[in-house]
Amino acid sequence: HYGEVEDIDDTRAPECAELIMTYVQAVTDRYKHLPSLDARLFFCRLQLQAIERFTLHVVRVMEQELGDCTGARFASLLCTVHYLVTVLAEWAEKPFFLSLEERLQEESQEELARSSVASLPSPAESRLPSSTSSMPVTSFLTSRFSSLSLSPTVDRPSSLFAPLIGKLNSIKQKMMENVVEAILSDFRSVSKSFVQQKWVSFPSPQDVVVQEVSDAACNLLVSLRHHLRLAEKRLPTSLFTPVWINLARQLDRFVFDKIVMSVTLNEGGAAQLNFDLMRNFVPLFSVCTARPERYFPLVREACYLLVLRPGSAALLRDELISAGKENASMAQLDGSATLAVESELKHLQVKNIDAQQVLAVLLRRVDWPQTS
């Protein structure tokens, strides 16, 4: 039931999800002509209970696949949850279910009125021990799903679909985060050899006839491209878009913090890093957007600073150091640089890296003239 995702429609819903919703819809066709509104509401609750039980099964299977969040089975389960949310959201807007929603609101108000005039328990009753007990929870996700009660004596939600849709959206969001984290984990592992290159030993750009991707960057790029292509193939656009956007933002931060800020470079190393990242790494997201560089502001600005002309870079570096001395501590440099430094950063189109980080990036270059 949870094999490769079939490209059935825009949601790419697996067959099992379509079958369960077809079954539930068939129940609607049978009871929608009942004269009693309360009877219709009763059967609607039965439908939601069936969907919730199916969702509980999906969650349990999903927990077994947490070790392979980039795999086909996990993608299929994610599409299943997304499909349930889509269908329930559509149902919530239909006139038939809106009438049941109104009846549910009236029922909630009636129960509230009855409870407000109910007599207080007797002293003997108040001393009785509570019969409720906490139920052991096997996992966070599984505990979020409890069957809908059909008893009129139990408190009911004031909304028909909102509670279940909210639970499903919570599960969907967590699953998308798991997909992103799995890709990031693989990227972190592969990036170690990329960081360990001898960035201070690269030849000068003037000695390079044709710039090529560094050997260590190849594995990095192949791995990321593989994950992006599989995600695009297995997920509908409505799921793939938030996944790649979240992935891009986290990659931007990781590359800036753990790659750019972890290496020291000469002129050739800076040129190579700029080529690997801005000409090869960032363009991998061209399958997602026409302007992928917009989602990597930290990487873009850091690479720009690393390949500045030596004179401009040295001047900016000295201004930043001077501003830090004026503030008595480099820790106070962020947000309190001189107007000259702020004007220079604005002129260079550096908007996402603060002054202290700019100085740290510039100090990655070991071949620029030292400050006096």
Side-chain angles (χ1 to χ4, degrees):
H1 293 294
Y2 300 102
E4 284 283 340
V5 180
E6 297 180 14
D7 191 7
I8 298 174
D9 53 22
D10 291 341
T11 61
R12 302 190 183 178
E15 183 179 358
C16 61
E18 289 205 325
L19 286 176
I20 188 67
M21 297 311 290
T22 299
Y23 157 76
V24 174
Q25 180 60 47
V27 176
T28 304
D29 296 336
R30 289 178 175 271
Y31 76 78
K32 67 180 180 181
H33 298 297
L34 291 175
S36 171
L37 200 58
D38 288 336
R40 298 178 197 171
L41 185 58
F42 177 84
F43 280 103
C44 184
R45 286 195 176 103
L46 282 177
Q47 289 176 294
L48 293 178
Q49 188 179 52
I51 297 173
E52 198 162 16
R53 287 175 177 173
F54 172 71
T55 304
L56 178 58
H57 174 66
V58 171
V59 169
R60 286 171 177 168
V61 176
M62 180 267 291
E63 289 178 331
Q64 299 173 6
E65 297 296 324
L66 289 177
D68 186 19
C69 293
T70 60
R73 286 167 61 88
F74 195 88
S76 180
L77 293 164
L78 176 55
C79 289
T80 297
V81 176
H82 176 62
Y83 177 71
L84 296 179
V85 171
T86 302
V87 173
L88 289 176
E90 292 177 355
W91 286 6
E93 300 298 324
K94 291 185 176 181
F96 173 75
F97 290 110
L98 288 175
S99 65
L100 297 183
E101 184 87 21
E102 293 177 1
R103 176 57 189 142
L104 182 64
Q105 297 288 346
E106 294 174 359
E107 188 179 84
S108 299
Q109 294 176 3
E110 292 171 359
E111 290 183 1
L112 181 61
R114 285 195 298 268
S115 63
S116 64
V117 298
S119 59
L120 294 174
S122 64
E125 292 175 335
S126 64
R127 290 193 296 271
L128 291 175
S130 173
S131 61
T132 60
S133 60
S134 59
M135 182 178 297
V137 179
T138 58
S139 69
F140 167 77
L141 295 176
T142 305
S143 67
R144 295 185 66 86
F145 288 87
S146 58
S147 59
L148 293 173
S149 173
L150 303 178
S151 171
T153 61
V154 179
D155 291 339
R156 296 169 178 168
S158 58
S159 178
L160 199 57
F161 294 101
L164 183 52
I165 291 177
K167 292 176 182 178
L168 289 167
N169 275 324
S170 177
I171 298 302
K172 182 177 73 171
Q173 182 62 34
K174 182 63 177 178
M175 293 179 73
M176 289 193 294
E177 291 173 359
N178 286 338
V179 172
V180 171
E181 179 56 35
I183 299 175
L184 283 172
S185 178
D186 191 32
F187 186 89
R188 295 189 194 104
S189 178
V190 179
S191 68
K192 293 178 181 179
S193 60
F194 182 72
V195 175
Q196 293 170 357
Q197 292 185 106
K198 296 181 179 180
W199 295 98
V200 295
S201 302
F202 276 86
S204 172
Q206 288 77 17
D207 299 331
V208 177
V209 179
V210 178
Q211 189 82 51
E212 296 180 348
V213 180
S214 62
D215 293 338
C218 290
N219 293 334
L220 197 71
L221 300 173
V222 169
S223 174
L224 182 57
R225 183 178 62 179
H226 172 72
H227 284 304
L228 284 174
R229 286 184 173 179
L230 286 182
E232 183 184 26
K233 174 185 177 182
R234 293 169 175 168
L235 300 178
T237 303
S238 52
L239 285 178
F240 178 63
T241 298
V243 165
W244 77 255
I245 289 177
N246 186 16
L247 175 64
R249 289 171 177 170
Q250 295 200 45
L251 282 174
D252 184 43
R253 172 53 64 180
F254 174 79
V255 171
F256 179 79
D257 290 340
K258 302 302 181 180
I259 295 182
V260 174
M261 303 301 292
S262 298
V263 299
T264 54
L265 317 96
N266 63 359
E267 182 185 13
Q272 185 65 55
L273 184 67
N274 180 65
F275 183 80
D276 288 345
L277 295 180
M278 294 308 300
R279 297 287 298 276
N280 293 277
F281 166 69
V282 173
L284 287 179
F285 286 81
S286 296
V287 299
C288 312
T289 175
R291 298 185 62 186
E293 67 279 359
R294 296 177 59 183
Y295 296 89
F296 294 89
L298 300 178
V299 173
R300 183 184 71 246
E301 293 180 3
C303 288
Y304 174 76
L305 291 169
L306 288 173
V307 294
L308 281 175
R309 293 179 179 275
S312 299
L315 178 61
L316 177 59
R317 181 197 59 197
D318 293 345
E319 289 177 349
L320 289 168
I321 293 176
S322 176
K325 291 180 179 179
E326 291 177 3
N327 288 303
S329 172
M330 288 303 300
Q332 299 176 0
L333 178 57
D334 183 16
S336 59
T338 63
L339 292 177
V341 170
E342 293 177 351
S343 176
E344 181 65 17
L345 293 179
K346 184 177 180 180
H347 175 72
L348 294 174
Q349 299 293 313
V350 176
K351 303 176 181 178
N352 298 279
I353 304 179
D354 61 45
Q356 188 173 359
Q357 291 174 324
V358 169
L359 178 59
V361 170
L362 294 175
L363 293 177
R364 299 293 93 198
R365 286 287 298 270
V366 297
D367 59 321
W368 278 336
Q370 298 297 314
T371 182
S372 57

